[in-house]
Amino acid sequence: MADCQGADAVSLDLFKSEVFVENLSVAMKSFLGNVRIQSNGCLILCEAVAYARERILYCGGFELLCNALQTHPKSKPVACAALLGLERLVTSATDESLVQFFEAGGFIALVSGMQHWPKSETVQTLALRIFTHLALKDQRISEAVTLNGYLSLVVASMRHHQGIIAVQMEACYCLNAIANYDLAIYIHRSEACRYILEAMLIEGYHDNVKLQFNALSLLSILLSFVEDWSECLDVELCLSAVLSTLCHFTNEESFQLPAFEALLALGKISELQREKIASSEVGVQNLCKAAMAAEWNPALQLRARDLHLLLTSDNKQLA
């Protein structure tokens, strides 16, 4: 994130002084229309968060960053610096400080940044991280992202940055956070599934833990609706993505559970899919047998048993 590097000349002693943040706040408020001052001010705030977080919040740090972002929406340096500052403050935010974020117009500023810079990898990655932190902290925020149309911004990020690992990874993490709140039905109605599958198959990133785990977990949740949308699902691509990820994380129980859930849903689509799963080089049957012995993980045992039964039984009613 080269766009967000700077403020290196400011000493740590200066960050920690009692009047530094107050003086910076006064300067940013007094020269709100000056792009350079706002850009540098946001960068300095970013660096200062680690040393004077409480002081920054006390002086209205969220307001300073949001004002800069909304006053200069067409300035990429301001957008990158302001979003980086917001991301650092939101990451460790308490419920009380999150109130400050919303009162300062944080959500509006965040959406504005994404809309003005749809093709900026830095802006989109930072904004997605903030969305994710917010969604994980509060279900109401997750619902706001989904129900108010902001989900389309996440999907647009994936569309504009296909093959860009940083954006795809954060987008999958964000969508997974939303899906965990039983809002997956809204995700599957969007184009998201297509981009999730493409992200899982990005060349050179099959072993990226964060990307693959969140994408696989999200896919397993989305596939719980497979009866409603199997006709518009690229089943072959979906099966390929799941098996590929399972192949790279064969011995990881945290990956096996969502993989088994996804394969169970895909196997119920048709006998052809069950045959492909059973005959894959991954050795799904052997993995199921091993997982069925994992007494310390009853959820994994149950899914492994269900999948093994589905793949071995001739009873068509199981599908």
Side-chain angles (χ1 to χ4, degrees):
M1 295 185 181
D3 299 314
C4 295
Q5 294 177 352
D8 296 328
V10 182
S11 69
L12 298 184
D13 290 337
L14 192 57
F15 282 147
K16 296 176 182 178
S17 70
E18 292 185 2
V19 297
F20 173 71
V21 177
E22 284 89 338
N23 290 337
L24 177 61
S25 173
V26 171
M28 292 184 70
K29 290 178 180 178
S30 300
F31 298 94
L32 185 58
N34 188 303
V35 176
R36 187 170 182 179
I37 289 178
Q38 295 305 310
S39 176
N40 288 330
C42 289
L43 285 173
I44 294 171
L45 282 176
C46 291
E47 299 296 330
V49 169
Y51 310 98
R53 181 181 177 280
E54 293 305 319
R55 177 69 61 178
I56 291 173
L57 290 174
Y58 178 78
C59 292
F62 279 126
E63 182 181 359
L64 293 174
L65 294 165
C66 291
N67 285 345
L69 187 57
Q70 291 186 278
T71 303
H72 304 282
K74 296 182 179 180
S75 170
K76 186 176 179 182
V78 170
C80 292
L83 286 171
L84 180 59
L86 289 173
E87 192 262 341
R88 290 183 177 179
L89 284 176
V90 167
T91 299
S92 55
T94 61
D95 291 342
E96 183 178 353
S97 56
L98 274 182
V99 173
Q100 295 181 34
F101 171 81
F102 288 105
E103 289 179 345
F107 212 80
I108 297 173
L110 177 60
V111 171
S112 175
M114 294 185 76
Q115 290 175 332
H116 278 92
W117 298 98
K119 296 186 179 180
S120 168
E121 176 184 344
T122 301
V123 169
Q124 296 299 314
T125 300
L126 289 170
L128 288 168
R129 285 179 184 171
I130 297 171
F131 263 141
T132 302
H133 288 309
L134 294 173
L136 290 172
K137 288 178 181 293
D138 193 326
Q139 180 176 352
R140 292 169 298 177
I141 298 170
S142 185
E143 291 173 346
V145 173
T146 306
L147 302 179
N148 293 335
Y150 301 132
L151 175 61
S152 61
L153 292 174
V154 181
V155 177
S157 289
M158 302 184 81
R159 180 172 62 252
H160 288 305
H161 300 275
Q162 295 181 53
I164 305 300
I165 187 64
V167 174
Q168 300 299 324
M169 183 166 58
E170 296 301 335
C172 286
Y173 190 16
C174 182
L175 292 174
N176 194 27
I178 296 172
N180 284 340
Y181 287 119
D182 299 324
L183 296 172
I185 188 72
Y186 296 95
I187 298 175
H188 96 69
R189 288 173 179 169
S190 68
E191 302 174 84
C193 190
R194 167 191 167 189
Y195 300 121
I196 294 165
L197 294 174
E198 292 178 356
M200 294 175 73
L201 296 171
I202 295 176
E203 190 65 33
Y205 290 95
H206 298 295
D207 58 352
N208 184 293
V209 175
K210 184 175 181 179
L211 170 65
Q212 297 298 334
F213 177 77
N214 283 294
L216 181 60
S217 298
L218 177 59
L219 194 59
S220 70
I221 296 172
L222 295 179
L223 285 172
S224 64
F225 300 98
V226 72
E227 293 180 0
D228 300 326
W229 58 297
S230 60
E231 293 182 358
C232 61
L233 173 70
D234 188 334
V235 178
E236 296 299 324
L237 184 62
C238 191
L239 184 58
S240 175
V242 175
L243 290 175
S244 173
T245 300
L246 185 58
C247 180
H248 283 85
F249 298 94
T250 303
N251 298 318
E252 298 289 337
E253 289 186 6
S254 59
F255 279 82
Q256 287 181 357
L257 180 57
F260 288 169
E261 290 176 337
L263 292 175
L264 191 59
L266 289 169
K268 291 180 178 180
I269 294 177
S270 69
E271 184 176 354
L272 176 61
Q273 301 309 316
R274 293 193 290 279
E275 291 176 354
K276 290 182 177 180
I277 295 171
S279 61
S280 69
E281 297 179 356
V282 180
V284 176
Q285 293 280 41
N286 291 331
L287 290 177
C288 286
K289 292 177 181 178
M292 287 164 63
E295 297 180 357
W296 57 89
N297 194 334
L300 179 61
Q301 273 189 313
L302 178 61
R303 287 293 174 266
R305 187 178 299 112
D306 290 343
L307 181 57
H308 178 69
L309 180 63
L310 180 67
L311 297 178
T312 56
S313 178
D314 292 329
N315 187 351
K316 303 296 189 219
Q317 292 182 349
L318 287 172

